[in-house]
Amino acid sequence: MDQYILDNVDRFHKLVQRWKPQPASKQRSSAQGSTESNPNMIVAARLRVLLKEELDLGLPQAVFPRPSAPGVLDIHELKRPVRGLAELRSADFRVDRAYGPDSTTEEIYTDIVKPLVPWAQNGGIGTLFAYGQTGSGKTYTVSRLEKMVADELLGGDHSEKRTITMAMLELAGNAAYGKRFWHSTILTNLLNKRGPVSIREDAFGVIQLSGALEHRVSTTSEMLSFIETATALRRTEATEKNDASSRSHAICRIRIQQKPDAPDDDADGMLYLVDLAGSEAARDTTNHDAQRMRETREINASLSVLKDCIRGKAEADTAAADASSKRKPHVPFRQTPLTKILKHVFDPAALRNCKTVVIACVNPCILDSVPSRNTLRYAETLRVIVPKVVEIKYDAKVPRTWDNKQLRSWVRSNSGSPPVDASLLAPSETGIQLLRLDPSEFQDRCVQTPGVTAQQAMLFYNKVWEMHIDSQRNRQLPSKSKSKAVVVPTAGSRPTAASDALEQGSSRDISTGASSIHFKERIRPGMVVSWSPPPELAETLSDSKAFALILCPASAAGPHARDYQGSPVQAEPGQNGGDSASYLCALVMAKTHSETYEMNLWRQVVVQVGQMTGEVILKYDTAARSWLNHDSDVD
Ligand SMILES: Nc1ncnc2c1ncn2[C@@H]1O[C@H](COP(=O)(O)OP(=O)(O)OP(=O)(O)O)[C@@H](O)[C@H]1O
């Protein structure tokens, strides 16, 4: 095929000149309808210049950044048809930034790498990966970027006097060292004569690298000399594409200690500059012996896991930022030593702030169109688009719209006396996140405030929920009326008690004029009353408010009917009228949320009219799945 391409170089030039770009393909990844890329995860592509030997052979460039569409790269390949002349096959890929052969490393540094330095100086974790086919310019790019980072960190007056330490590590498969067991890897310290480094996770889940000595650096030249020593020691091998190809991942770890006056719990900032081992296309491995084949497999496998981790973490960050998302993307960071070392970058449970930059290095020569296409496809899949954020408008009556500041101020003025310490209840939560808290967790946080009792905590929890339920109900009502047949009220009409009772599920008497008659005169099955239980019964009822649902006159109950304490229900003769008349009733019990009730039809009691104190109007609330005390007509 290579010879076929060489024979058709002129035709390739003509076809490319005639080629008209199509609108760039839509993002082939998940989030549709959005164009914003993740600001904490930048994926760039760098096309290296054509090398002298490629130019000498007259090989043309086949990958081009599209000038009219920033971030889009077009790649052309020559296709050999069964019959006739060579045809052009083109594809486009989209990344966040595309740099052509004319772009300098300085330009790339200023654009996407430089912001990682102040980020790490302020306690964040900045990571740079250079990925690409062997011979595509990864080491060239990373080594120059390392120098610029060194200059940024330690050049100038360096007056802030942060302590900076660095370690240079190399991670290679066993096969790279001629070992038989290809599934394990060897991590060595390049600044300590390749001393072995082991990866351990401590009891707090923090990865510790024992053997990775950290060297303190105070000048740019000191840092550069460490980088040079490490680079010279790095394991290289001649590949089809590169005479001195790195067959290992090189990790430059720079730790930036916080300023001396920073609080003790401020973590050190970290910068990881990772020059990944080059991937090799299958056709470039035809001359490899078994050991080199194993090595290539190891490298490709670890790069594949790295891709899953970078993408998984970006998706996890996007899901975490979207309060309505319940997705929990899997990040397989434990699968390879490289991703395990970078656990705090990839673990979705890690609390550190991370910024990641991936530079996909591409050899634009026509002979490498296939691996270049694979590299760009790899880069494109790393790009996670941030879904369009639906702005939630603040509403003082709707807890789901509150941010942490609004929530805290509401907690301070509505949590009773003493007020619940809002910073203990909601250190970072928004309204919606507070509503997701388990009731016991909510109450545990409340009682951490000195003086706040468990009962106050419970009442406050109920209050938050009531407010939420009310706000949801108010939101639902208008949309409900849309889907139902609309009853157009006639002039002057207003909802009657009967229609209200029938539509809403209420215990209100539906007969007209009922409200003008004293409740004792119109006792009926289905009415809910408040009553004063006798002391012996009051003790067994946990709730101070005793409500009962009237079932039937006690005289109508069968001869074998018993109340919930086992006493006969039937009325004694002579108790048929006035205050001495008695009714079989079901207990209405308060639920954990205050002012919400449930009917206990199986807990029946006999209530005399004289014990009844008023009618209670209960309404069924579908959102709370409970009866709410809507109105009381207490005597
Ligand atoms: N932007 C560039 N300008 C000039 N020369 C470059 C550029 N990028 C790479 N090169 C040259 O290309 C060759 C291969 O580059 P390099 O060793 O960086 O590739 P690599 O991707 O690290 O390869 P491997 O994965 O095999 O280690 C080197 O000779 C390097 O000097």
Side-chain angles (χ1 to χ4, degrees):
M1 187 65 189
D2 286 359
Q3 191 53 50
Y4 181 75
I5 292 170
L6 288 171
D7 295 343
N8 285 280
V9 166
D10 288 342
R11 178 159 175 78
F12 177 79
H13 281 300
K14 272 189 209 141
L15 289 172
V16 172
Q17 263 173 12
R18 262 191 264 150
W19 176 80
K20 291 225 165 46
Q22 301 295 312
S25 313
K26 286 211 177 87
Q27 173 78 11
R28 279 167 271 259
S29 55
S30 53
Q32 281 160 6
S34 181
T35 50
E36 286 297 306
S37 53
N38 186 343
N40 291 332
M41 168 78 207
I42 294 176
V43 181
R46 179 182 203 186
L47 309 182
R48 77 148 157 73
V49 292
L50 287 178
L51 300 181
K52 185 174 175 301
E53 50 272 29
E54 291 161 340
L55 292 170
D56 288 349
L57 283 172
L59 292 168
Q61 180 178 338
V63 190
F64 302 87
R66 194 182 288 185
S68 58
V72 175
L73 294 124
D74 292 301
I75 181 161
H76 306 294
E77 289 169 59
L78 266 187
K79 203 173 132 202
R80 183 182 202 161
V82 180
R83 216 175 293 146
L85 296 173
E87 291 169 5
L88 194 69
R89 188 168 73 170
S90 304
D92 60 79
F93 294 91
R94 185 186 283 275
V95 289
D96 296 316
R97 311 282 160 82
Y99 299 97
D102 300 336
S103 298
T104 60
T105 312
E106 285 75 10
E107 192 181 328
I108 298 173
Y109 174 75
T110 316
D111 226 4
I112 55 177
V113 183
K114 195 175 175 183
L116 297 181
V117 177
W119 175 257
Q121 281 171 331
N122 289 316
I125 298 178
T127 312
L128 165 83
F129 293 104
Y131 169 84
Q133 189 210 357
T134 166
S136 57
K138 297 179 294 299
T139 307
Y140 179 94
T141 303
V142 173
S143 56
R144 279 159 182 75
L145 289 175
E146 280 170 346
K147 286 178 186 149
M148 289 173 206
V149 168
D151 210 32
E152 186 85 31
L153 277 172
L154 295 160
D157 67 348
H158 180 48
S159 57
E160 285 186 318
K161 293 276 177 277
R162 288 187 172 91
T163 306
I164 296 177
T165 54
M166 69 179 294
M168 296 286 294
L169 307 168
E170 183 185 51
L171 187 65
N174 258 346
Y177 290 89
K179 303 275 167 68
R180 287 186 59 203
F181 306 105
W182 64 273
H183 55 271
S184 68
T185 34
I186 293 175
L187 180 65
T188 51
N189 183 350
L190 290 174
L191 297 181
N192 186 27
K193 299 181 194 143
R194 288 210 128 107
V197 177
S198 43
I199 308 168
R200 302 225 166 87
E201 192 165 348
D202 67 18
F204 301 100
V206 178
I207 295 291
Q208 304 291 355
L209 301 177
S210 70
L213 302 179
E214 295 208 341
H215 297 262
R216 188 168 172 175
V217 283
S218 9
T219 61
T220 312
S221 56
E222 227 177 328
M223 188 180 259
L224 293 182
S225 102
F226 278 129
I227 292 172
E228 267 159 34
T229 311
T231 310
L233 270 177
R234 203 173 160 198
R235 203 181 155 279
T236 58
E237 196 81 54
T239 60
E240 206 64 29
K241 298 286 167 196
N242 191 355
D243 293 342
S245 170
S246 324
R247 306 316 298 145
S248 60
H249 306 307
I251 306 167
C252 169
R253 186 173 77 172
I254 302 170
R255 183 190 296 277
I256 306 163
Q257 282 179 11
Q258 292 301 288
K259 281 188 206 162
D261 56 348
D264 284 349
D265 54 353
D266 271 14
D268 293 342
M270 302 288 258
L271 267 179
Y272 288 90
L273 307 174
V274 186
D275 177 9
L276 294 164
S279 57
E280 272 186 290
R283 65 170 202 161
D284 294 334
T285 61
T286 40
N287 296 329
H288 284 3
D289 60 15
Q291 185 187 316
R292 291 291 309 283
M293 286 299 281
R294 278 206 304 271
E295 183 187 285
T296 302
R297 268 204 305 272
E298 281 171 8
I299 291 171
N300 289 351
S302 81
L303 293 173
S304 165
V305 174
L306 178 69
K307 176 179 75 179
D308 294 344
C309 289
I310 295 178
R311 184 165 172 84
K313 178 61 169 44
E315 282 179 346
D317 286 349
T318 308
D322 178 5
S324 61
S325 171
K326 293 202 172 102
R327 274 172 16 90
K328 284 193 178 157
H330 174 61
V331 188
F333 65 89
R334 288 184 197 283
Q335 276 186 19
T336 63
L338 174 67
T339 48
K340 233 196 259 179
I341 294 171
L342 298 169
K343 179 185 177 222
H344 44 288
V345 176
F346 296 126
D347 185 0
L351 298 172
R352 303 287 304 272
N353 294 326
C354 299
K355 270 190 192 291
T356 304
V357 172
V358 180
I359 303 180
C361 296
V362 175
N363 174 359
C365 173
I366 189 168
L367 290 186
D368 284 283
S369 298
V370 175
S372 298
R373 184 154 37 91
N374 290 339
T375 300
L376 290 174
R377 190 177 293 129
Y378 182 103
E380 197 178 61
T381 54
L382 295 179
R383 217 173 146 241
V384 170
I385 302 298
V386 178
K388 265 191 186 139
V389 179
V390 182
E391 204 186 317
I392 302 176
K393 243 172 114 188
Y394 168 70
D395 183 338
K397 290 191 180 137
V398 184
R400 7 188 4 264
T401 64
W402 301 344
D403 63 19
N404 180 258
K405 210 168 140 205
Q406 289 148 351
L407 171 67
R408 283 189 188 210
S409 104
W410 187 84
V411 169
R412 276 189 286 272
S413 45
N414 287 277
S415 54
S417 172
V420 170
D421 185 338
S423 62
L424 293 174
L425 174 62
S428 60
E429 284 79 358
T430 58
I432 204 162
Q433 287 167 333
L434 189 81
L435 288 165
R436 282 188 194 152
L437 279 189
D438 190 64
S440 56
E441 169 71 15
F442 184 102
Q443 286 164 36
D444 286 351
R445 290 190 189 186
C446 287
V447 296
Q448 281 176 22
T449 307
V452 172
T453 61
Q455 200 195 1
Q456 182 186 343
M458 171 66 121
L459 286 172
F460 182 48
Y461 178 79
N462 292 344
K463 189 170 182 177
V464 176
W465 265 92
E466 262 172 41
M467 194 167 181
H468 171 58
I469 289 166
D470 282 349
S471 66
Q472 291 300 96
R473 194 174 44 211
N474 293 342
R475 220 168 54 113
Q476 281 165 13
L477 282 178
S479 61
K480 232 184 190 178
S481 59
K482 262 186 217 160
S483 57
K484 283 190 174 180
V486 179
V487 179
V488 183
T490 52
S493 73
R494 61 189 193 87
T496 62
S499 68
D500 183 41
L502 291 173
E503 290 238 335
Q504 308 282 329
S506 152
S507 67
R508 189 188 293 279
D509 197 334
I510 60 167
S511 51
T512 45
S515 57
S516 61
I517 305 168
H518 190 266
F519 83 97
K520 287 189 181 174
E521 308 287 311
R522 51 181 173 83
I523 291 176
R524 62 190 164 83
M527 176 186 265
V528 179
V529 292
S530 55
W531 66 297
S532 320
E536 66 280 7
L537 189 60
E539 276 174 22
T540 66
L541 300 175
S542 51
D543 189 38
S544 54
K545 285 182 197 162
F547 292 166
L549 168 73
I550 293 175
L551 298 174
C552 65
S555 55
H560 305 296
R562 295 276 182 277
D563 69 11
Y564 88 101
Q565 289 180 308
S567 310
V569 163
Q570 260 196 349
E572 287 166 22
Q575 287 190 337
N576 292 334
D579 275 3
S580 63
S582 53
Y583 285 84
L584 180 64
C585 300
L587 287 176
V588 177
M589 308 292 286
K591 289 179 50 165
T592 46
H593 299 188
S594 64
E595 302 301 325
T596 61
Y597 298 87
E598 61 185 359
M599 307 284 181
N600 279 223
L601 291 175
W602 55 95
R603 295 178 86 188
Q604 296 171 357
V605 285
V606 175
V607 179
Q608 284 195 347
V609 173
Q611 292 171 303
M612 298 179 188
T613 53
E615 182 181 7
V616 178
I617 308 298
L618 292 185
K619 262 190 177 179
Y620 190 69
D621 187 293
T622 43
R625 294 185 198 85
S626 301
W627 292 88
L628 299 184
N629 184 359
H630 192 253
D631 196 3
S632 293
D633 174 16
V634 185
D635 256 9

